[in-house]
Amino acid sequence: MLKTESPPPQGPALDQCPTPQLLAWLVDDQQQALAAVQAARPQLLAAVEAALPRLRRGGRLVYVGAGTSGRLGVLDGVELTPTFSWPRERALGLMAGGPAAMFEAQEGAEDDADAGRRELQALGLTPDDVVIALAASGGTPYVLGAVAAAREAGALSLGLANNAGTPLLAQADIGILLDTGPELIAGSTRLKAGTAQKIALNTLSSALMVGLHRVHGCWMVDMRASNAKLRRRAQALAERVGRATPEAAQAALQACDGELKPALLMLRAGLDASAARAPLQRCEGHLRLALSMSGLQDDETVPSGKT
């Protein structure tokens, strides 16, 4: 049996233990998820280094999975737009069973390898696209069909699985093993296998966004202030990073339609909105480089009090 399908050695009788002990076991078991991702850092590094040049040329991120893995992939892709202003059309999510599977399990759909292949082919993949394929078992036919289509198109395929020696790890261009071992509830990969996938996806996509200059220091400078919370956050960042008064920060954000990067360049370099966009365009949105091109140096690295 796969590790994720097997009970832990001398597994406790969860249904017979007191609730405090049950909670302790469930929480403590999650620690293995972080350890699994830490062990996979070399593969995650290889994935980032292989994906970045493709994304810089205009490639897309395509997440593929079934069940819990598929939902985690869709979630990671959806969050890239509000967090980093990543274009929605460049973060696509495919789930076995279609969009309805996000809310209601479509258990049989994951067994259809041809569907995975067809649905990925329908996207018109190019060699610059990056396919992130997720399957805790490492052998989900739908996901393997999608990986086959990715390889046929010359796209980069990254395979994340929680069981060693499985087809997904072998067939993807870069296999990323998240070895979380047996689940406390045998076969329930929504537990620490899912946690490890979430950590790995957070790590992978965040590193890619940093590499694409969508973060400055540790600030989300590529977000768009589209609601009250984000407007407050943008205002605070414009004051802090732009070294501006509240009134000046607000005026710059309004002139730049809520976009932080040009607003920050306006504030720091004394430019108008149109002039602030020009250096950003020349250096592919790299705010630190744009500041340097404007004759400014920036020492903004981490919030005060942090090291």
Side-chain angles (χ1 to χ4, degrees):
M1 294 180 67
L2 297 172
K3 278 188 179 181
T4 52
E5 305 276 335
S6 306
Q10 300 178 334
L14 299 181
D15 59 324
Q16 294 181 331
C17 71
T19 301
Q21 183 61 65
L22 171 63
L23 293 178
W25 275 329
L26 287 168
V27 171
D28 293 348
D29 197 48
Q30 295 287 321
Q31 295 182 40
Q32 296 181 48
L34 178 57
V37 180
Q38 289 173 327
R41 280 186 296 194
Q43 292 73 40
L44 288 167
L45 173 60
V48 171
E49 291 180 338
L52 270 176
R54 292 168 167 84
L55 298 178
R56 287 182 181 131
R57 292 192 295 264
R60 299 169 292 178
L61 287 167
V62 183
Y63 298 81
V64 183
T68 296
S69 299
R71 295 183 188 99
L72 289 171
V74 170
L75 175 63
D76 194 71
V78 165
E79 289 182 339
L80 296 182
T81 298
T83 308
F84 303 106
S85 292
W86 185 250
R88 294 184 187 278
E89 66 274 13
R90 294 181 64 192
L92 307 176
L94 294 180
M95 278 196 67
M102 279 295 296
F103 304 100
E104 185 174 350
Q106 309 286 322
E107 299 294 352
E110 70 177 53
D111 298 328
D112 192 343
D114 288 339
R117 182 190 292 266
R118 288 194 309 270
E119 290 173 21
L120 214 66
Q121 287 173 335
L123 298 180
L125 290 181
T126 75
D128 287 334
D129 290 328
V130 178
V131 175
I132 302 175
L134 302 116
S137 68
T140 304
Y142 176 88
V143 175
L144 295 178
V147 168
R151 299 200 65 171
E152 290 167 4
L156 175 67
S157 57
L158 311 176
L160 282 71
N162 297 84
N163 288 281
T166 47
L168 178 57
L169 296 175
Q171 294 174 22
D173 293 316
I174 298 175
I176 302 171
L177 172 62
L178 305 171
D179 190 359
T180 44
E183 294 288 1
L184 196 56
I185 300 175
S188 182
T189 52
R190 57 180 285 275
L191 296 175
K192 65 174 178 282
T195 301
Q197 289 182 357
K198 182 69 169 71
I199 297 171
L201 287 170
N202 280 347
T203 302
L204 177 60
S205 60
S206 297
L208 289 172
M209 294 299 113
V210 172
L212 293 167
H213 315 310
R214 293 173 181 265
V215 174
H216 180 72
C218 61
W219 301 112
M220 295 163 46
V221 293
D222 235 323
M223 67 175 185
R224 182 179 287 274
S226 56
N227 61 27
K229 177 187 73 175
L230 293 178
R231 283 192 290 272
R232 289 193 300 270
R233 185 178 298 168
Q235 174 76 23
L237 289 182
E239 294 175 27
R240 169 64 188 270
V241 183
R243 304 174 186 177
T245 65
E247 295 77 15
Q250 185 177 35
L253 285 167
Q254 289 176 343
C256 295
D257 298 323
E259 291 185 62
L260 256 175
K261 278 183 179 176
L264 291 171
L265 205 56
M266 280 183 65
L267 294 167
R268 292 291 302 279
L271 303 172
D272 62 26
S274 176
R277 295 182 189 278
L280 286 168
Q281 291 172 349
R282 288 198 298 272
C283 61
E284 298 180 336
H286 195 319
L287 178 58
R288 196 178 298 276
L289 183 55
L291 287 167
S292 177
M293 291 169 60
S294 301
L296 299 168
Q297 290 187 343
D298 192 73
D299 56 3
E300 186 67 44
T301 54
V302 295
S304 58
K306 298 289 184 73
T307 58

